[in-house]
Amino acid sequence: MKIPTICLTALLLLLKEQESNAFSVSVFNNKNTNHVNHAVQHSKLYSSTLEETETETETEATKNKVKITKETAEIKKNTTITKSPVSSSPTSTSSSSFTERLTNSGVASAAAMATAAVNAAVSMKTLEAPSTSKSYIALDSKTEIDEDGLPLTYDKDAIESYWKKEKGALNQRWGYFVGKTVPFLTRLTTLFIKDGKIEDKYIPELSEQARIDLQDLGPTFIKAGQMMSVRPDVLPQATLEELTKLQDSVEAFSTEVAVEQIERELGGPLGQFFTSISEEPVAAASLAQVYLATLNDGKNTQVAIKVQRPAVLSIVSKDLYVLRRAAEVFQGLVDRFAPQQKTNYVALLNEWSIGFYTELDFQNEARNQQRLRDDLRAKGIKGITVPKVYEELCTRKILVSEWMDGVKLNSCE
């Protein structure tokens, strides 16, 4: 992938020359034409990685190509004017304004080309599922495969086999992701090229757009945003505050579907296990939602039923591919335009992905919850209470525990 790098370097050198007012616009036009064409060619290469997607994907890719083409047309339109020497006359203001517009157009095209080039390079690689070799997460050694070919506990080889089988669906999901995130990544790259960093004044705007995009992309990405919202070592405070809004932004699925899931998992009608259940979930999260219910134990014991979202294992498995590929693209852009940043985003995503996948096993969560409860009680620690787990009612997709009233940590006085 030497051509994109050469083209980008050449374009940046031209922009640098322009800033020093050492050339005329007509010369810039002659020099810049080939590089703009390269930008369009690589944006086409970028969209060509989505050939197997369906109509929605093709539409999103076309939008991105149209956007770059418009930017190219704007450059060609503007560069037909000849720049006059800078003077103290009133026309100098318009010349300065024109120069700024020209610079911004060129930088935007360079950013679009760089994003396309990095994505094209990533698309030519065979992506591996996150490796557990350097993970600190404890995993079950036994791997069970469900009816869709998905491992019930994280397994790198099984995940990669699933990716190969679901290539078309993965490309479609990637296409939707591209349509949502390319404008954002291009904006970031533009700022990196123009300023060498992200100025503080742009952070609120970028943070809000990132949060909106994560919401639109669904539960997996909302979960990723929630995880990043507690990483002040990685993100600025304004971004952390924006991402905390994701904690309450997940739409609930229907109670009818939830009841069907409970009955299927427990192997009997709802009334066999519970005498009542709330009509609506009391909380909805990225992986599951929670209902207030009463046990059928003759004691009117209130419990919380955590019900996993339907088909979430398949959704998460596809999104892990998208996130893995996106991390490679983002890391490539950061390495190229912000080498001073030392965060390894691919490694960070790998560890989070493995942990996220393990969260889909509610039996594992139940064991950990009960173990923490027992350890705290055994050591006589006061002031911390962990809800009791009703293990006989817990499955991989259902978690039943003692109901406790409380407030969010960020609402404590």
Side-chain angles (χ1 to χ4, degrees):
M1 298 302 297
K2 293 182 179 179
I3 292 178
T5 305
I6 293 171
C7 293
L8 178 60
T9 302
L11 183 53
L12 290 176
L13 287 173
L14 289 175
L15 291 174
K16 186 175 181 181
E17 289 177 22
Q18 179 209 9
E19 290 173 357
S20 63
N21 298 317
F23 70 113
S24 70
V25 174
S26 59
V27 172
F28 177 81
N29 183 34
N30 292 333
K31 288 185 178 181
N32 194 45
T33 301
N34 290 335
H35 302 304
V36 170
N37 289 338
H38 277 303
V40 176
Q41 289 171 8
H42 285 291
S43 68
K44 291 178 179 178
L45 175 60
Y46 168 58
S47 62
S48 71
T49 63
L50 310 176
E51 288 178 353
E52 298 182 30
T53 61
E54 297 179 1
T55 304
E56 178 183 1
T57 303
E58 294 170 355
T59 301
E60 297 292 348
T62 301
K63 287 179 181 177
N64 294 326
K65 289 197 293 183
V66 169
K67 181 177 180 180
I68 295 174
T69 303
K70 286 181 178 178
E71 292 170 349
T72 304
E74 181 68 19
I75 294 175
K76 292 182 177 180
K77 176 182 176 182
N78 288 340
T79 53
T80 57
I81 305 173
T82 302
K83 180 183 173 186
S84 302
V86 178
S87 67
S88 58
S89 65
T91 60
S92 63
T93 301
S94 61
S95 295
S96 175
S97 176
F98 166 74
T99 300
E100 184 177 352
R101 290 201 315 272
L102 183 60
T103 300
N104 290 339
S105 296
V107 170
S109 291
M113 181 175 67
T115 304
V118 172
N119 177 72
V122 172
S123 70
M124 296 172 69
K125 297 170 59 177
T126 300
L127 292 183
E128 295 183 353
S131 173
T132 59
S133 60
K134 296 182 179 180
S135 176
Y136 291 95
I137 298 170
L139 299 171
D140 292 338
S141 57
K142 182 181 179 182
T143 301
E144 297 180 45
I145 306 296
D146 72 1
E147 62 275 10
D148 296 322
L150 284 165
L152 298 181
T153 55
Y154 186 85
D155 182 273
K156 178 179 181 294
D157 294 336
I159 290 288
E160 289 177 359
S161 295
Y162 178 77
W163 285 356
K164 291 177 181 177
K165 186 181 73 171
E166 296 292 329
K167 185 177 180 181
L170 291 176
N171 279 341
Q172 183 176 3
R173 183 63 173 151
W174 174 251
Y176 181 73
F177 174 83
V178 163
K180 282 289 178 186
T181 59
V182 160
F184 179 80
L185 284 177
T186 302
R187 173 74 168 145
L188 280 181
T189 308
T190 300
L191 294 174
F192 277 133
I193 294 175
K194 185 166 68 75
D195 302 324
K197 62 178 181 177
I198 303 297
E199 299 284 356
D200 290 345
K201 62 182 179 180
Y202 298 117
I203 290 177
E205 164 208 339
L206 291 169
S207 300
E208 181 182 17
Q209 188 58 54
R211 191 256 306 164
I212 293 171
D213 287 344
L214 289 171
Q215 284 181 200
D216 292 343
L217 286 166
T220 305
F221 295 88
I222 291 173
K223 186 72 173 180
Q226 292 171 344
M227 179 271 292
M228 295 302 294
S229 72
V230 293
R231 292 299 304 269
D233 57 319
V234 176
L235 297 174
Q237 185 59 36
T239 304
L240 299 177
E241 292 172 0
E242 188 69 36
L243 292 181
T244 57
K245 298 177 183 179
L246 293 172
Q247 296 175 5
D248 301 306
S249 65
V250 183
E251 292 186 10
F253 58 92
S254 75
T255 297
E256 181 181 356
V257 171
V259 170
E260 291 175 357
Q261 177 100 303
I262 294 170
E263 293 180 335
R264 182 167 55 252
E265 288 294 309
L266 298 183
L270 188 69
Q272 180 180 335
F273 311 99
F274 309 99
T275 57
S276 68
I277 187 172
S278 56
E279 293 185 2
E280 299 294 333
V282 295
S286 55
L287 296 183
Q289 57 196 40
V290 177
Y291 290 86
L292 170 60
T294 304
L295 280 181
N296 187 7
D297 61 353
K299 301 176 184 178
N300 291 325
T301 302
Q302 288 190 317
V303 294
I305 309 177
K306 183 177 179 180
V307 186
Q308 191 171 113
R309 288 182 173 273
V312 73
L313 188 64
S314 175
I315 294 171
V316 167
S317 298
K318 292 182 177 70
D319 283 346
L320 288 186
Y321 170 86
V322 172
L323 285 168
R324 182 73 176 80
R325 185 167 171 177
E328 292 276 0
V329 172
F330 187 72
Q331 189 73 56
L333 293 173
V334 170
D335 291 345
R336 183 175 294 187
F337 300 112
Q340 70 276 14
Q341 299 232 355
K342 302 303 181 184
T343 302
N344 187 331
Y345 292 97
V346 173
L348 183 64
L349 184 277
N350 283 355
E351 185 71 354
W352 176 81
S353 296
I354 296 168
F356 184 39
Y357 202 94
T358 62
E359 290 186 34
L360 300 176
D361 181 0
F362 289 176
Q363 285 181 319
N364 184 57
E365 180 179 344
R367 288 192 297 270
N368 290 334
Q369 183 172 325
Q370 190 60 45
R371 179 180 176 181
L372 178 59
R373 174 183 169 87
D374 293 342
D375 287 349
L376 291 175
R377 298 180 73 182
K379 295 181 182 299
I381 297 176
K382 307 295 183 180
I384 301 176
T385 303
V386 178
K388 173 185 176 182
V389 173
Y390 294 87
E391 295 185 47
E392 68 279 7
L393 296 175
C394 295
T395 71
R396 301 186 72 88
K397 298 180 180 180
I398 301 292
L399 174 62
V400 180
S401 59
E402 176 186 3
W403 176 267
M404 301 189 74
D405 293 309
V407 296
K408 286 185 175 182
L409 284 174
N410 59 8
S411 300
C412 294
E413 297 180 355

